[in-house]
Amino acid sequence: MNTLDQQTALQQAARERIKNSHALDGDAGRLAHFYRGWTNSYELDVGSDGYCGPTIVAELAGAVQTAYLSRQRTAIAILDAGCGTGLVGVELERLGFRLIDGIDLSEEMVEKARQTRVYRHVRGNVDLNEPLTEYLSASYDITVCCGVFTLGHVRPQGLREMARITRPNGFIIASTRKSYADTASFEQEVRRLQQAGILVPTQRLNDGRYLAEEDAHYWVFQMPEKASAPTEERS
Ligand SMILES: C[S@@+](CC[C@H](N)C(=O)[O-])C[C@H]1O[C@@H](n2cnc3c(N)ncnc32)[C@H](O)[C@@H]1O
C-alpha cells in the first residue's frame, strides 16, 4: 500500500468511527464505552478529517469577550461542556483565556484534557443530558460546547441546563452539525427557550467548516439580564 492509499484508508477508518459515534442514541453507558475505546485515536481521527470546530468555537468566545465583556480574558470563567480531550481548551488558552473548566461523560477523554494543563478543573462522568446538579446557577461567563450537539450525543434539551449555569448577560457558544440541526429539533428547542426568557440567540454562523465530510452551524446565545428560572433548576 503506498502512502496515499494508507492516508485514504486511515481517513476512511476515522470516518467510520465518527459515524459509529452517531448511533449511540444519547445513551450514557454506550457513549462512555464508545469514547473509552476511542480516546487514544480521537485526535488523530478528527484531525485526519480536517476538524476545525474547536478553533471556530474558541475564536467566537474571543470575539464575544472583546465585543461585550468588560473584564480581561484572564478573568473570564469558561465552562467547556463536553471537553473531550481538550481541543477547545487548548485553543481558548492560545487566545488568552485562563479560567477554563471542562466536563465530559468520559473519564478517559477527560484525563487527556487534564494532561493538556490548560484547564483549571476537569471532571468526568458528567452527563449533559441530565440536570447538572453539582453546578450552581450563574457560575460561568461563557459556556462553550463543541462537537457535542451532534447525532447520538446530547439532546437539544441539554441547552437549558447550560443556560442555567451561565450567568445573566453571559454567553453560550455551541456548534451543531448540520445533520443534527436538521433532525434533532434544535431550533424548536431554541425557540422554546427564547420564548421562556431563558436565552436569546444573538449570532449564528451558518454552514461553517467543521469536518471535511460535513459543515456545522455555530450559535451564540446570550443569557438575559434576569434569566427566568428553568423548571429543572436544582441549585
Ligand atoms: C466529538 S467529541 C467532542 C470533544 C471536544 N469538545 C472536541 O471538540 O474535540 C464529543 C464529546 O462529548 C462527550 N459526550 C457525549 N455525550 C455526552 C453526554 N451525554 N454528556 C457529556 N458528555 C458527552 C464525549 O465523551 C466526547 O468527549
Side-chain angles (χ1 to χ4, degrees):
M1 209 188 269
N2 65 33
T3 315
L4 198 61
D5 288 342
Q6 274 174 349
Q7 264 177 0
T8 310
L10 276 176
Q11 199 176 34
Q12 271 170 358
R15 284 193 178 176
E16 199 55 35
R17 277 191 285 273
I18 293 169
K19 199 168 120 208
N20 291 342
S21 80
H22 294 160
L24 301 168
D25 290 332
D27 180 290
R30 291 177 69 200
L31 280 158
H33 180 263
F34 183 86
Y35 275 96
R36 185 176 309 133
W38 197 13
T39 301
N40 285 332
S41 63
Y42 172 81
E43 291 192 2
L44 195 64
D45 280 357
V46 296
S48 78
D49 210 31
Y51 186 43
C52 58
T55 307
I56 295 173
V57 165
E59 287 182 352
L60 279 172
V64 156
Q65 180 274 328
T66 306
Y68 300 113
L69 302 178
S70 52
R71 270 177 296 133
Q72 300 290 310
R73 285 189 184 176
T74 49
I76 298 289
I78 300 197
L79 178 68
D80 182 1
C83 62
T85 58
L87 292 176
V88 179
V90 167
E91 293 295 325
L92 288 169
E93 201 256 0
R94 180 179 63 81
L95 294 171
F97 292 101
R98 293 293 178 269
L99 305 181
I100 312 165
D101 292 344
I103 54 176
D104 198 283
L105 193 58
S106 163
E107 296 280 5
E108 292 77 11
M109 295 287 274
V110 152
E111 182 48 36
K112 289 266 182 205
R114 190 173 286 121
Q115 287 166 13
T116 65
R117 304 174 80 89
V118 302
Y119 291 90
R120 179 175 59 167
H121 303 295
V122 284
R123 182 184 289 189
N125 205 17
V126 179
D127 187 352
L128 291 164
N129 284 315
E130 297 292 333
L132 302 173
T133 48
E134 306 278 314
Y135 290 82
L136 295 176
S137 299
S139 297
Y140 291 96
D141 299 298
I142 302 177
T143 298
V144 295
C145 188
C146 185
V148 174
F149 287 117
T150 195
L151 294 171
H153 286 47
V154 175
R155 292 183 276 278
Q157 289 74 11
L159 203 48
R160 183 180 280 261
E161 275 292 271
M162 290 183 201
R164 181 181 66 76
I165 61 176
T166 307
R167 72 161 169 81
N169 290 328
F171 292 88
I172 298 174
I173 295 163
S175 69
T176 53
R177 237 178 201 263
K178 276 188 69 182
S179 52
Y180 174 90
D182 294 345
T183 59
S185 323
F186 191 80
E187 287 202 56
Q188 284 97 310
E189 182 63 13
V190 168
R191 269 197 295 278
R192 261 195 294 275
L193 294 176
Q194 184 172 14
Q195 279 161 9
I198 290 168
L199 52 70
V200 181
T202 56
Q203 311 287 336
R204 182 170 141 180
L205 301 183
N206 285 326
D207 305 329
R209 281 173 51 212
Y210 179 71
L211 281 165
E213 60 165 7
E214 193 177 5
D215 289 345
H217 303 321
Y218 294 88
W219 305 71
V220 178
F221 303 106
Q222 187 167 28
M223 304 316 104
E225 176 83 41
K226 277 200 168 173
S228 311
T231 48
E232 289 95 332
E233 176 133 359
R234 295 288 174 96
S235 63

